[in-house]
Amino acid sequence: MFYINGAAQNKIRVWDVNPTGQPALLMLHGWPLDMRIFESLSMDLAKSDCRIVLMDLRGFGGSDAPWDGYRYDDMAADVGTVIKALRLEGVTLLGFSMGGAIALRYMRLFQGWQVARLALVSAAAPSFTRSNDFPHGLSTSQVDALLDLAANDRPRMNAEFGRSFFTNRASSAMREWTQSICNDASAIGTIKAGQSLRDEDLRPDMSAVRVPCGIFHGRTDRICPFELALALEAGIPNAQLFAFQQIGHSILLEDHVRLSTQLLSFLRG
């Protein structure tokens, strides 16, 4: 692992797995996690000779946690810095949950620079929260309650949020490990990135995607409901939807073998 100076000279922790492999994927984690959430998936894909680049978003994992800079534009700028620093070309940009939203923002903000394919996994997009003209997702009040709890008892918030993360297929050890990752995040990053998760609307970003896009989503997702995947499929030109039956938000952990198989089919298709 090593560090790259992102926007405003904030250090971003990066791990380049199997750097000579092809194709290359750059993976963006969700809220309030870090790159470790890709442990099983990255090993699956590396065994198929893919190059896997993982990064901790600012405020999470081993990356710096500045006071400001948690808008999707800011975090997408960090993604661009990593792509430039590692000279990635023809990369597949994969975003999980909030990482999917940031990946989508990158496609508009940087016109998809150096990205050959986009993979959105359980994406918190095009909008994580409901509004008058978008009836899907959580309510603003539900997210506010999470953020209030994060400010006062963040471990409890992580535990309560985690109950919706898994189906009954996850072991207690897997649940505890995932919560420990969330607890390692900074309070600043958790709260301020959570505000962006609540407030950002990516519906105008969808038409900027001009590369093949795969949407991978569980039908019983209780955090980012399946209707979000349908909205992405409708809004992104030539998007392909891969639906996972009887699986929720945690495809990465509970169904990583099938996810890696579907991803490889998408990458080579």
Side-chain angles (χ1 to χ4, degrees):
M1 294 186 189
F2 52 93
Y3 289 87
I4 290 173
N5 286 330
Q9 297 302 302
N10 292 301
K11 291 182 179 178
I12 301 298
R13 186 172 69 166
V14 176
W15 188 20
D16 194 351
V17 183
N18 192 26
T20 61
Q22 285 293 334
L25 297 92
L26 173 57
M27 298 186 179
L28 312 179
H29 62 81
W31 178 88
L33 297 156
D34 64 35
M35 68 167 72
R36 287 175 287 176
I37 202 66
F38 291 116
E39 178 178 292
S40 297
L41 181 64
S42 61
M43 293 300 101
D44 290 342
L45 293 172
K47 289 176 184 176
S48 295
D49 203 33
C50 295
R51 178 185 183 183
I52 310 297
V53 179
L54 307 175
M55 60 181 286
D56 286 336
L57 298 170
R58 57 172 63 196
F60 300 93
S63 293
D64 282 352
W67 180 249
D68 292 311
Y70 294 94
R71 299 173 305 165
Y72 287 168
D73 283 9
D74 300 312
M75 292 187 279
D78 289 334
V79 174
T81 299
V82 170
I83 290 175
K84 181 177 181 180
L86 296 183
R87 299 179 181 178
L88 298 176
E89 297 179 359
V91 69
T92 293
L93 185 60
L94 183 151
F96 168 68
S97 197
M98 185 182 73
I102 295 166
L104 191 54
R105 176 57 49 84
Y106 175 87
M107 298 302 292
R108 180 177 67 79
L109 199 63
F110 290 88
Q111 294 83 51
W113 181 66
Q114 301 291 27
V115 174
R117 291 178 182 269
L118 177 66
L120 302 175
V121 181
S122 306
S127 177
F128 185 63
T129 52
R130 299 194 294 266
S131 59
N132 291 336
D133 59 348
F134 190 78
H136 314 300
L138 301 184
S139 68
T140 299
S141 62
Q142 285 176 298
V143 183
D144 284 342
L146 285 172
L147 296 177
D148 287 343
L149 189 54
N152 294 287
D153 190 344
R154 192 165 57 87
R156 179 183 167 194
M157 187 281 292
N158 289 331
E160 293 189 0
F161 186 68
R163 292 192 186 102
S164 299
F165 194 84
F166 292 103
T167 64
N168 293 328
R169 298 169 62 180
S171 67
S172 59
M174 178 66 76
R175 295 170 188 267
E176 291 169 5
W177 177 72
T178 305
Q179 184 177 349
S180 73
I181 294 175
C182 297
N183 290 342
D184 285 345
S186 70
I188 295 169
T190 298
I191 293 170
K192 293 199 171 184
Q195 292 169 349
S196 295
L197 189 65
R198 177 194 64 197
D199 298 337
E200 299 254 13
D201 185 349
L202 294 106
R203 284 177 289 174
D205 298 54
M206 292 189 289
S207 61
V209 179
R210 290 288 181 263
V211 297
C213 176
I215 300 164
F216 305 82
H217 215 104
R219 287 192 177 272
T220 59
D221 195 326
R222 291 184 289 163
I223 293 176
C224 296
F226 190 71
E227 287 79 9
L228 299 190
L230 296 177
L232 289 169
E233 182 188 27
I236 295 176
N238 300 315
Q240 183 178 4
L241 176 60
F242 298 83
F244 288 70
Q245 306 294 334
Q246 297 180 330
I247 197 72
H249 196 61
S250 58
I251 300 174
L252 290 176
L253 301 177
E254 294 186 87
D255 214 357
H256 64 88
V257 174
R258 185 156 57 114
L259 176 58
S260 63
T261 300
Q262 297 277 36
L263 275 168
L264 286 169
S265 175
F266 168 67
L267 294 174
R268 295 167 176 169

